[in-house]
């Protein structure tokens, strides 16, 4: 029952964020944060809306947000928020960004929501439950050989030279003519829905991936770091997602053998 209550709360957070974001789609301009990444009024308004709800309803829980940092709690539970994952896509008017909402307990994500407020798509994943898209179960697809895999990543500029070499080593082992660039969190949603096979990224923060783990794994896939180890709050930001867990060793080997 507790997790059901948390899911209901996460849905209210997603509704609030969507209401804050929609009026700004294809109208807002960007500012620059200290690390030169873009941010908009919509990012801030959406996170503020979610924080208000969490502060009122679960005041003992920690809140970790991309825009406003951490608010410490005492419950051992953390809500991890990324109001707009894919701000560059949002600014380009492309509806393949998403609001990410995760509940992390003892360092591990147990609940994740990915909401696309323009298309009205919402993926929900929770520990021990089947992932759904707008209430209907979704499933990753089988990938018999890594050479058949459709690989996705947000973009080559997110890798440094070292990581980029490893990524290209993986790309060479996949069906690279079907490789997808761009998409941020939406790539993971497409993997969970059986449209992609592998997503590979580096330099991610907790808010970038925490919500995605329950979504991918609840659909039959797996997520790990580049060594194949489970992701947790202390992971270093090297992230892979696979629709078919049987390909995990193949992907890890391809990444390791690039140099």
């Amino acid at each position: 029952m507790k997790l059901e209550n948390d899911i209901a709360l996460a849905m209210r957070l997603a509704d609030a964020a969507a209401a804050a974001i929609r009026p700004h789609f294809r109208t807002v301009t960007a500012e620059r944060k200290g690390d030169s990444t873009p941010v908009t009024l919509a990012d801030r308004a959406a996170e503020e809306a979610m924080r208000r709800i969490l502060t009122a309803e679960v005041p003992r829980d920690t809140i970790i947000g991309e825009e406003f940092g951490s608010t410490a709690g005492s419950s051992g539970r953390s809500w991890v928020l990324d109001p707009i994952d894919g701000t560059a896509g949002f600014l380009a008017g492309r509806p393949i960004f998403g609001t990410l909402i995760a509940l992390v307990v003892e360092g591990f994500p147990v609940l994740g929501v990915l909401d696309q407020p323009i298309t009205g798509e919402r993926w929900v994943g929770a520990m021990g439950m089947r992932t759904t898209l707008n209430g209907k179960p979704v499933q990753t697809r089988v990938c018999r050989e890594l050479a058949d895999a459709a690989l996705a990543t947000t973009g080559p500029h997110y890798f440094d030279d070292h990581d980029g070499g490893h990524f290209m080593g993986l790309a060479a082992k996949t069906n690279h003519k079907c490789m997808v660039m761009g998409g941020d969190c939406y790539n993971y949603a497409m993997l969970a829905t059986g449209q992609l096979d592998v997503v590979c990224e580096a330099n991610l923060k907790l808010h970038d991936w925490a919500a995605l783990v329950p979504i991918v794994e609840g659909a039959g896939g797996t997520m790990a770091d580049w060594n194949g180890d489970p992701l947790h709050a202390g992971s270093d930001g090297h992230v892979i997602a696979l629709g078919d867990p049987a390909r995990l060793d193949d992907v890890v080997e391809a990444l390791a053998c690039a140099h």
Side-chain angles (χ1 to χ4, degrees):
M1 181 61 69
K2 179 62 175 176
L3 193 54
E4 291 178 1
N5 292 341
D6 290 328
I7 292 171
L9 174 55
M11 300 290 263
R12 293 196 296 277
L13 298 178
D15 289 342
I21 290 167
R22 288 192 196 103
H24 300 290
F25 185 59
R26 295 180 179 168
T27 65
V28 75
T29 56
E31 304 169 28
R32 291 283 174 180
K33 293 190 282 190
D35 61 0
S36 296
T37 56
V39 65
T40 71
L41 177 62
D43 295 80
R44 296 192 180 103
E47 186 170 321
E48 286 172 337
M50 291 188 285
R51 282 177 174 270
R52 282 194 294 270
I53 294 170
L54 291 170
T55 299
E57 297 197 24
V58 284
R60 295 181 59 245
D61 290 357
T62 295
I63 305 173
I64 302 171
E66 181 182 15
E67 305 307 332
F68 297 104
S70 297
T71 301
S74 58
S75 68
R77 294 158 35 103
S78 299
W79 291 90
V80 182
L81 311 174
D82 191 343
I84 299 181
D85 183 79
T87 301
F90 173 76
L91 286 166
R94 303 174 67 194
I96 53 173
F97 61 92
T99 297
L100 297 178
I101 300 161
L103 176 60
V104 176
V105 179
E106 296 182 356
F108 291 91
V110 300
L111 165 63
V113 173
L114 190 167
D115 186 71
Q116 213 310 310
I118 307 305
T119 63
E121 297 170 304
R122 182 175 294 177
W123 287 262
V124 180
M127 186 173 60
M129 299 176 63
R130 182 80 173 272
T131 294
T132 60
L133 166 58
N134 293 349
K136 297 181 179 180
V138 293
Q139 180 68 44
T140 60
R141 68 187 182 191
V142 172
C143 181
R144 301 293 184 191
E145 301 287 344
L146 188 57
D148 297 329
L151 171 66
T153 193
T154 299
H157 52 293
Y158 291 100
F159 297 108
D160 60 24
D161 290 343
H162 179 265
D163 288 342
H166 286 281
F167 172 80
M168 291 309 297
L170 171 61
K173 297 289 183 66
T174 65
N175 185 4
H176 53 278
K177 291 184 179 180
C178 293
M179 184 164 52
V180 173
M181 292 284 182
D184 298 274
C185 64
Y186 203 78
N187 289 333
Y188 299 82
M190 291 297 95
L191 182 142
T193 315
Q195 305 298 315
L196 291 169
D197 299 299
V198 182
V199 182
C200 180
E201 315 238 46
N203 299 310
L204 299 189
K205 304 292 193 300
L206 181 63
H207 59 256
D208 294 314
W209 60 259
L212 303 171
V213 174
I215 291 171
V216 168
E217 296 189 345
T222 191
M223 288 183 63
D225 65 18
W226 284 18
N227 295 316
D229 297 324
L231 296 171
H232 54 85
S235 295
D236 68 0
H238 290 76
V239 171
I240 50 177
L242 297 92
D244 189 339
R247 302 279 72 77
L248 178 59
D249 288 346
D250 298 335
V251 169
V252 170
E253 181 180 2
L255 285 167
C257 291
H259 288 320

